[in-house]
Amino acid sequence: MNNLLYENNNHVLLKGKIKELPKYSHTVMGEGFFEMDVEVERLSEEVDILPVTISERLITNFNIGDEIGISGQFRSYNKLEENKSKLMLTIFVKELLNPAEMSEINQIYLIGYICKEPIYRTTPFGREICDMLLAVNRAYNKSDYLPCISWGRNARFVRDLGVGEKLEVQGRIQSRKYQ
């Protein structure tokens, strides 16, 4: 199958500030990959700290606090921690963009398949919310399993969808810290 098909079903545009310098992660087919965190400010002035994976080919003279523009994909992988498998999420950089030419941006576009029954609930303040896990196909018979949350009328729509249903999602990537 055409790899362009897989690039069109998972796309991220992101502009933020480098929070930490890239640290070596792993090598695939002789190419080194590094991980770093990028801070993205929301309209509410909250800040999301988003994990980014970048090839050694794309790394330039990064400094903490530098603005960075990213075009890439949202990916998942399982990491073994304390004998338990943990779902890890990262933004995989395909291309660096000039942040000066971007408006404040944090956009994601996915096409995938619901792979667990959606979980619908209301918050203590009465807002409707629905959690779902979306399987997004990638080239070479791989898939990314990406947790998604919909709100309001979108939550009501998603709650009635079944496992295996195809879904197109647009939104933003957020991070949370739980205590």
Side-chain angles (χ1 to χ4, degrees):
M1 252 197 193
N2 186 342
N3 283 345
L4 186 59
L5 174 70
Y6 295 111
E7 289 183 19
N8 289 336
N9 69 355
N10 183 344
H11 192 245
V12 173
L13 281 176
L14 190 68
K15 177 182 174 180
K17 290 185 180 175
I18 296 173
K19 181 170 174 58
E20 67 177 18
L21 296 178
K23 294 182 185 113
Y24 174 78
S25 171
H26 62 283
T27 298
V28 176
M29 297 178 66
E31 183 175 1
F33 290 89
F34 292 74
E35 294 177 341
M36 64 182 182
D37 286 337
V38 173
E39 289 182 330
V40 178
E41 197 170 311
R42 296 186 203 168
L43 291 175
S44 66
E45 298 183 8
E46 288 287 322
V47 175
D48 291 304
I49 309 297
L50 304 178
V52 170
T53 301
I54 186 167
S55 166
E56 63 190 355
R57 294 178 296 106
L58 297 174
I59 293 177
T60 60
N61 292 327
F62 291 147
N63 294 300
I64 293 175
D66 284 354
E67 278 198 323
I68 187 170
I70 294 170
S71 174
Q73 294 181 321
F74 203 38
R75 294 195 177 172
S76 68
Y77 62 94
N78 287 309
K79 182 177 184 179
L80 197 60
E81 286 186 354
E82 299 174 9
N83 294 326
K84 291 183 180 178
S85 185
K86 181 177 179 184
L87 182 67
M88 305 298 290
L89 304 170
T90 187
I91 298 159
F92 184 82
V93 179
K94 295 272 200 169
E95 179 183 7
L96 290 175
L97 305 174
N98 182 349
E101 295 175 1
M102 301 172 72
S103 59
E104 293 297 321
I105 201 163
N106 175 353
Q107 296 178 342
I108 185 166
Y109 172 78
L110 303 170
I111 299 175
Y113 299 88
I114 296 175
C115 58
K116 278 176 68 175
E117 287 293 328
I119 300 169
Y120 174 85
R121 64 189 193 289
T122 56
T123 68
F125 295 109
R127 293 193 64 200
E128 296 170 287
I129 185 172
C130 193
D131 297 295
M132 63 191 144
L133 189 62
L134 205 61
V136 178
N137 292 330
R138 204 189 315 165
Y140 310 110
N141 293 322
K142 293 190 179 209
S143 294
D144 293 296
Y145 296 91
L146 305 173
C148 300
I149 299 173
S150 58
W151 295 87
R153 67 181 180 159
N154 290 328
R156 285 191 303 276
F157 172 77
V158 171
R159 75 177 172 199
D160 297 326
L161 297 178
V163 171
E165 296 233 27
K166 188 174 184 178
L167 193 60
E168 183 175 332
V169 176
Q170 294 182 49
R172 66 179 184 258
I173 302 170
Q174 291 184 262
S175 64
R176 294 253 175 99
K177 297 279 185 209
Y178 293 98
Q179 295 190 12

